[in-house]
Structures are given as C-alpha cells and as structure tokens.
Amino acid sequence: MKFITILSSLSLLASAFAPAETPEEKAGRMQWFNEARFGMFIHWGVYSQAAGNWNGKPVPGAGEWIQSGGKIHAAEYREILQGQFNPVKYDPEAWVIAAKGAGMKYIVITSKHHDGFCLWDSKLTDWDVGSTPYKKDLLKPLAEACEKHGVKFCVYHSIMDWSHPDWGSKTPNNGGNAPVDATPALWRGNAANPKPDMDRFTAYLKGQLKELVDDYKPGILWFDGEWEDAWTHERGVDLYEYLRKLDPSLIINNRVDKGRDGMKGRTTDEKFKGDYGTPEQEIPATGFGEDVAWESCMTMNETWGFKTEDTQWKSNEVLIRNLIDIASKGGNYLLNVGPTGEGEIPSASLERLAAIGDWMKVNGESIHGTTASLFPNVSWDGRSTTAVADDGGTRIYVHLFSLPTDGKIILTDLVTRPDGATLLGKDTPLEISGEEGAWSIQLSPADMHPIATVIALNFPGNPIIQRPLTSQQK
Ligand code: GLC
C-alpha cells in the first residue's frame, strides 16, 4: 500500500509542476475547434417540459430560466418537472445527423443548466435523469452517435446551481458589475441554508465534472453561470488547472473564470483563464485579434430552452449570413436548438438546419478550415474568408450578398492578380479584368444564390492586399 501512496503523491507532485503548455501545443489542441467554424448548441432539461409555461400561464424570459422567472420554489419545481420528464421521442442519432447535415462539426449540450438538473445519472445527486420516468442516461447515446458520425461531443455546464444548498449567492447578482438585486431568491435551494459552503460546492462541481470528463470525454467544457459573486477568479483558475490536468486535450471556454466582458464575451485580461472568447447573441465588429479564438453563441428564435410561445424564428438568410460574417472574422458560430420535453427538435429548427445544409453542401469550403478575411474592408456587399489551398497556395473566398446593377464585382485593395477564379458549385472559370488594386469579375443575376454566392480566387503564393496611400499619407 505504501508504495502506491508514494507513487500517487509523486505523480500528483509531477502534475502540479507540469510544464506550461507551449503556444504550439495550444495551437494543436485548438486546431479542430478553429477549423470547425460551426457547431450546434443544445439547451435541454426539465425546463423543456415546462416549455415556458407554469400553472397554465406563460412565464416571461428564456425557457431555461423559468424557475427564476416564475420564482418557482426548488421543491415544487423539482417535484413537478422531475416527475414529468420522459423524453420518449428522443433520437440522438437523428439530432447528430441533422447537425452534421447542416455542416456543424461539434455539438455542445447542456449537461446541467442553472437549475442544477443533470442529464446523466450522476453519483453525486438524484436531481438527475435517473430519478425521472425516463431513467436512462441522455448524454451517453448522444456521445456515441457523435462518435459514429465524426461530430465532436461537447458539454455546457453551469457553475451557478440554484438547486444546491451550498451555492454561495443568496441574491441574483452580477458580481458587482450591475446593481445587485437585494431581493433574496427564496425560491433557490440555498435559501434555507444560513451558511452556504462554497468549498463543499466546488468539490461537488469538480466531482460532477470528473464524471463527465471520465465517462463522456467531451471535446469542450462550455462553462456559464460564472457571473454571481459566489464564484471568484481564484476558483476559476483552480478549476481550469484542475480540468486541464484531468484531460490535457480538453478545450475550456472563458466562462470558467471571471474575465468575460458580459455579452461581448471577450477576455478582458490575460490573467483570466479560458481558451476562447464567448460573445453571446452578438457578432463582434471585428475578430478579437490575431490567433485569438472566439465563438458567437446565438439562438435560432429568442429562447435557448424550448418555449411554445417563442415563434420569433430567424430567417435562413440571417442564419447563413451570420455564419459567413462570423467566419470572415475568424470565429465560430454556435447555433442553438431547444428540443421539447418529449425529445424532439422543433420542426422550425430542423427546416432551418436543412436550408443551411443545402447552402453548405455547395459553399462549405468557404467556411470550414478558413481563417479571417485579408481585406481591411471589402468593397462588395458581402464578406471574405481565406484558406490554404491544396497546392500550398492561397484561396480567397468572396461572399456576395447582392450583385451591383452592372454585375461588376471590383476587388478593391487586391494588388496581386488571381491565378484563376470560379463560382463555387460551378466549374466554369470566371474572367478577371481590371488592374492592380481593382481587379474585377463580371457576373449575371443567374449566377447568384438568393442568400450568398461565393467566388473562389486562387493564388500560387500569398496575395498582396494593400490599401493605397492617400495623398496626405504619400
Ligand atoms: C445566457 C443565458 C443562459 C444560456 C447562455 C448561453 O447566459 O442566461 O440561460 O445558457 O446565455 O450562452
């Protein structure tokens, strides 16, 4: 026994002083994420059963926030919803096929949201699927379907846990960044606990995360719910280090710590942990700087968790142009679906995923594996992305949202003449005319896709993009 103890303490000591990850090692760890560019967010839990309604009345706010919006006491919320949750129509493989068909390379599903309900049968609580009429683990079949179809399985996990007696914030607050709501949240599971113990809470949090990492091997741990003052920068750093030792290949977003700039999602200071930024419901005007990974998470309607009332569905045009815009700035698009309590993705979501997939079947190479636009500003109505061509040269993709009346696309600032140009989906080479800094391509309305048309420009090396100096600058 002694020998093993010595061994385990040595390995602990060794891991405590594991050499810091080099930039090259981090780039290798982040590579699949940065090439993916497009993923599916899934918000699913007992709140999906409530569908935004309580006692027959709609509750304002997002579907997954219904306990807070309705100030539903933990015992009532748990008794009613845990007793009803029975997703008999759940078909994880169909979900993965729908995501893959849309061109999504990864899936992030809520393992546990703010209400604390777990979609797997955790050993650390019975506030989980094991105590519902459904009983079976919901994460494992999805992870297996992801593995089968080559889609990366990832999990969202809320730090804030309204059900846990040791969660330390008694009132909804924003860690000092906004007026504190002085009204104690008496509906929360910690309301009756005079002395919540955050060390005990953190041990529970780490224990559940170890279950997820060990049993489901997620590619990303997508944290949220870090904003209340119960969670500190010190705990964020500790949790990040703990998880990176648990699985060195794991990617962890910047909501594990306290450094995100609200909905902008930027990491405000190098001291804060997290491998990428997380803008929410918005697309930054530009990227976050060279080699800074980020991902905009957005809903398809207004809510993350299913709500019968929410029929504010975004159009296919908005969704596809969001994807293009985000990729042109070097980011990922994490697009949400909110399945019903019975386990079905709403048909309105499936229709949009199919439409995105139809566009991606022809134009996906202008999104997957690309990097940000080389143009400071594009002179056409659209965007641009960049890729390393198979022959080692450079490929510039020109995304057109509309065609000028004369059909002439002028590629301002492009100094190097493209070697060749084609419309994605059509093989006929396009004629290039004009001059340095104003090469042009003539298209007709018949060439155009109603949402976005893509021209691929080929260069043997690195093209020169240069904004000509103004007379004052000369
Ligand atoms: C917000 C919502 C939360 C949702 C998250 C997704 O934090 O409060 O419910 O899971 O956005 O980014």
Side-chain angles (χ1 to χ4, degrees):
M1 190 54 188
K2 201 158 173 337
F3 175 70
I4 292 176
T5 316
I6 293 168
L7 202 63
S8 61
S9 51
L10 279 176
S11 69
L12 264 179
L13 201 62
S15 66
F17 294 100
E21 183 180 48
T22 65
E24 295 70 32
E25 286 166 338
K26 179 167 183 183
R29 177 163 63 92
M30 295 297 293
Q31 185 177 347
W32 76 262
F33 176 82
N34 288 324
E35 289 179 353
R37 288 286 170 257
F38 193 25
M40 177 184 272
F41 214 169
I42 301 177
H43 274 72
W44 197 34
V46 290
Y47 46 76
S48 312
Q49 186 65 35
N53 304 294
W54 199 257
N55 293 333
K57 294 197 195 76
V59 174
E64 71 287 358
W65 273 73
I66 188 167
Q67 187 183 0
S68 170
K71 295 192 174 10
I72 305 163
H73 278 246
E76 180 193 2
Y77 180 84
R78 176 167 174 162
E79 187 196 334
I80 289 177
L81 292 179
Q82 192 164 30
Q84 289 174 355
F85 189 60
N86 188 16
V88 292
K89 294 182 180 172
Y90 179 40
D91 181 349
E93 185 163 20
W95 291 12
V96 175
I97 290 168
K100 185 174 183 179
M104 294 162 154
K105 296 287 188 181
Y106 61 108
I107 288 176
V108 180
I109 185 167
T110 49
S111 60
K112 182 185 90 166
H113 206 267
H114 308 329
D115 62 2
F117 178 77
C118 304
L119 267 63
W120 81 103
D121 192 358
S122 171
K123 295 181 180 58
L124 304 180
T125 181
D126 58 11
W127 177 217
D128 64 18
V129 70
S131 309
T132 66
Y134 190 77
K135 297 196 185 318
K136 292 171 289 182
D137 178 356
L138 295 166
L139 297 185
K140 184 59 87 180
L142 185 66
E144 288 167 349
C146 282
E147 174 83 27
K148 177 179 174 183
H149 292 279
V151 173
K152 207 80 168 168
F153 175 78
C154 309
V155 295
Y156 164 113
H157 198 78
S158 177
I159 293 170
M160 171 170 70
D161 183 334
W162 295 327
S163 72
H164 200 286
D166 283 318
W167 174 250
S169 294
K170 290 272 193 186
T171 61
N173 67 81
N174 204 356
N177 299 325
V180 174
D181 173 352
T183 322
L186 299 176
W187 48 272
R188 289 186 180 186
N190 65 354
N193 182 355
K195 287 187 74 183
D197 180 334
M198 272 303 283
D199 289 337
R200 198 162 45 205
F201 177 84
T202 304
Y204 172 76
L205 177 67
K206 285 181 172 179
Q208 288 201 321
L209 289 166
K210 186 170 189 324
E211 289 181 325
L212 290 170
V213 171
D214 289 351
D215 300 347
Y216 304 94
K217 312 235 175 307
I220 297 171
L221 271 180
W222 209 103
F223 285 102
D224 189 30
E226 85 292 355
W227 56 83
E228 292 195 348
D229 53 17
W231 193 250
T232 63
H233 168 52
E234 290 68 30
R235 290 189 190 278
V237 173
D238 169 65
L239 184 58
Y240 179 84
E241 301 299 352
Y242 165 74
L243 293 166
R244 294 276 302 109
K245 288 192 190 86
L246 216 49
D247 176 357
S249 70
L250 199 55
I251 293 176
I252 301 165
N253 77 354
N254 68 350
R255 300 188 185 188
V256 65
D257 195 350
K258 302 289 280 190
R260 101 167 129 120
D261 183 8
M263 302 292 258
K264 290 188 184 59
R266 269 173 334 175
T267 302
T268 49
D269 181 316
E270 283 309 305
K271 77 176 184 185
F272 295 114
K273 292 298 184 184
D275 297 320
Y276 68 87
T278 52
E280 179 181 317
Q281 299 286 38
E282 61 180 64
I283 300 170
T286 62
F288 288 166
E290 193 66 28
D291 298 332
V292 177
W294 57 277
E295 169 201 72
S296 271
C297 59
M298 302 178 95
T299 51
M300 223 183 256
N301 45 7
E302 300 291 308
T303 177
W304 301 93
F306 179 68
K307 279 189 84 170
T308 41
E309 303 286 311
D310 185 343
T311 56
Q312 307 295 312
W313 298 100
K314 295 176 180 115
S315 67
N316 298 334
E317 178 177 294
V318 164
L319 298 173
I320 291 171
R321 290 185 180 180
N322 280 350
L323 174 61
I324 294 166
D325 185 21
I326 291 167
S328 77
K329 294 162 181 172
N332 286 18
Y333 189 27
L334 187 63
L335 180 58
N336 184 73
V337 296
T340 65
E342 290 190 305
E344 289 188 297
I345 294 176
S347 55
S349 300
L350 293 174
E351 287 156 16
R352 284 154 180 79
L353 290 171
I356 297 169
D358 289 344
W359 187 86
M360 286 291 274
K361 281 182 189 65
V362 175
N363 303 288
E365 68 174 85
S366 74
I367 303 292
H368 294 140
T370 64
T371 51
S373 170
L374 296 174
F375 294 87
N377 290 297
V378 295
S379 55
W380 55 88
D381 175 21
R383 297 293 186 270
S384 173
T385 55
T386 317
V388 176
D390 295 342
D391 60 9
T394 303
R395 191 155 244 222
I396 288 181
Y397 295 101
V398 172
H399 300 84
L400 303 171
F401 295 162
S402 68
L403 192 61
T405 42
D406 64 1
K408 194 173 190 179
I409 303 296
I410 301 177
L411 305 167
T412 309
D413 298 344
L414 178 61
V415 174
T416 309
R417 188 184 195 283
D419 239 13
T422 53
L423 273 176
L424 288 191
K426 295 182 181 152
D427 297 335
T428 38
L430 297 171
E431 198 180 316
I432 301 163
S433 48
E435 59 190 9
E436 276 192 13
W439 300 114
S440 65
I441 290 172
Q442 189 68 37
L443 291 180
S444 73
D447 293 319
M448 298 299 283
H449 180 281
I451 294 177
T453 305
V454 184
I455 296 173
L457 304 174
N458 297 314
F459 302 85
N462 295 320
I464 298 169
I465 312 270
Q466 201 162 3
R467 170 59 46 88
L469 294 175
T470 59
S471 49
Q472 291 86 337
Q473 289 167 320
K474 278 176 183 137

